[in-house]
Amino acid sequence: MKVFINGKFVDKEDAKVSVFDHGLLYGDGVFEGIRLYSRCVFKLHEHLERLEQSAKAILLDLPMTREQLTEAVIESCRVNELTDGYLRLVITRGPGHLGLTPDGCGPAGVIIIADNIQLYPKEMYESGLKIITVATRRINSAALPPAVKSLNYLNNILAKIEAKKVGFQEALMLNDKGEVAECTGDNVFVIKKGQLYTPPLDAGSLRGITREVVIDIAHELGVPFSEQALTRYDLWNADECFLTGTAAEVIPCVEVDHREVGSGVPGDLTKSFISHFRQKVSVDGVLI
Ligand code: PMP
């Protein structure tokens, strides 16, 4: 495997960053996870736009233009002869001093890893996932906007560990008002009486690219959609529930906090969202 690092493709073993890089020392940087489906880099422009916005929010100047990043992503797929896979695009603040200030850090690092990913076993897309609410709250947006896809994922990692310790693959995270924010790496949707709901971004959710695709599908299918603050109760009493994310795609959720969602099996509308999503992935992006 060849990794793109600061303008060059090098062997995996030689892809190294400085121990003084603030990306390593402080999680100071931003990233994107992107999928390649049948030679199509799904929603590449949208991912790069979000990367630019995350970088702007943390006052990090991207060292490459949108066009250069697009080329580097495409080249990473080609060099690794991938037709399907997962791309991790990482921007670090760059090497600096041991203090917190980014002054004097640089140049910013650009890393692209082109690999594969299988977050959940295939059967789970048929049978559905079970999730549990954890005590770790989603970070307050006044502390760090959850819309920033930063290299500092400890909040989500702690929630994931909590869920795993009690035998669940994914955790439901609430915000500090006790409303549903999102899962550790996925957005949450529910269906109730034929209507689709997801928490608004200010509940502490990332503006997921897959979330946006699902909202588009809702419009195409004529399923009424609204962003609405949701509580755990709303999830327990939903007819259907599913999670969305680049790695997870669209996955049914059939149990929340030991309560079956609907009849405890993936619902018909969820299945319809999954099949429409799969139709889009190899056409709605940039071909390599
Ligand atoms: N929320 C969080 C915290 C995430 O890290 C992600 C990405 N894995 C998502 C939601 C889903 O976003 P996307 O659909 O853009 O992958």
Side-chain angles (χ1 to χ4, degrees):
M1 181 210 290
K2 296 273 188 197
V3 174
F4 176 94
I5 181 159
N6 302 328
K8 290 195 211 107
F9 284 97
V10 299
D11 288 331
K12 183 179 169 183
E13 298 69 32
D14 300 323
K16 294 179 179 149
V17 294
S18 162
V19 293
F20 293 100
D21 194 316
H22 281 209
L24 172 71
L25 289 174
Y26 297 117
D28 186 354
V30 292
F31 78 101
E32 281 296 317
I34 309 169
R35 288 290 280 268
L36 172 72
Y37 293 99
S38 308
R39 296 181 187 280
C40 171
V41 188
F42 185 51
K43 295 279 180 189
L44 179 58
H45 295 311
E46 288 77 357
H47 280 285
L48 293 178
E49 184 179 49
R50 187 171 65 185
L51 184 81
E52 288 163 2
Q53 291 173 358
S54 295
K56 181 167 187 188
I58 68 159
L59 295 105
L60 171 57
D61 288 331
L62 291 181
M64 290 169 68
T65 62
R66 171 91 65 103
E67 292 66 35
Q68 288 169 329
L69 286 169
T70 303
E71 258 319 295
V73 166
I74 292 173
E75 205 46 34
S76 299
C77 301
R78 288 193 187 141
V79 165
N80 288 291
E81 294 177 0
L82 283 179
T83 54
D84 291 86
Y86 178 84
L87 297 142
R88 176 59 60 88
L89 173 48
V90 180
I91 313 288
T92 69
R93 184 76 72 176
H97 301 291
L98 288 180
L100 278 176
T101 172
D103 295 350
C105 282
V110 181
I111 300 164
I112 305 172
I113 307 165
D115 203 352
N116 286 298
I117 198 164
Q118 167 92 59
L119 194 61
Y120 297 116
K122 210 166 167 281
E123 315 79 71
M124 216 166 255
Y125 291 83
E126 310 292 327
S127 58
L129 181 68
K130 299 176 179 181
I131 63 173
I132 190 143
T133 308
V134 291
T136 302
R137 293 284 167 110
R138 191 74 183 98
I139 207 157
N140 184 304
S141 61
L144 175 66
V148 176
K149 203 161 165 58
S150 88
L151 290 184
N152 194 319
Y153 252 54
L154 263 183
N155 180 223
N156 314 56
I157 292 166
L158 292 182
K160 188 91 171 176
I161 292 172
E162 246 188 274
K164 287 248 170 173
K165 289 269 185 214
V166 290
F168 290 82
Q169 302 241 30
E170 186 51 295
L172 181 68
M173 299 182 79
L174 308 179
N175 62 23
D176 54 15
K177 286 195 264 177
E179 300 159 349
V180 171
E182 59 183 350
C183 287
T184 65
D186 302 316
N187 292 110
V188 181
F189 284 84
V190 295
I191 294 165
K192 182 82 180 170
K193 296 193 192 326
Q195 303 225 17
L196 181 71
Y197 301 95
T198 197
L201 300 179
D202 63 14
S205 328
L206 183 75
R207 186 176 55 80
I209 307 293
T210 323
R211 176 186 188 273
E212 299 204 325
V213 174
V214 161
I215 295 169
D216 289 345
I217 295 172
H219 290 135
E220 287 162 25
L221 294 177
V223 174
F225 162 74
S226 61
E227 288 187 348
Q228 194 172 294
L230 299 172
T231 62
R232 293 204 294 158
Y233 174 89
D234 296 318
L235 269 62
W236 302 337
N237 285 293
D239 298 329
E240 301 183 30
C241 176
F242 59 84
L243 312 184
T244 65
T246 294
E249 304 177 309
V250 180
I251 185 159
C253 172
V254 293
E255 189 192 287
V256 179
D257 301 334
H258 310 288
R259 281 91 165 168
E260 276 186 352
V261 176
S263 48
V265 293
D268 289 341
L269 266 174
T270 300
K271 287 187 198 158
S272 178
F273 276 101
I274 293 173
S275 70
H276 280 79
F277 175 77
R278 290 189 178 148
Q279 282 165 30
K280 283 185 184 290
V281 292
S282 54
V283 287
D284 198 349
V286 173
L287 287 174
I288 63 165

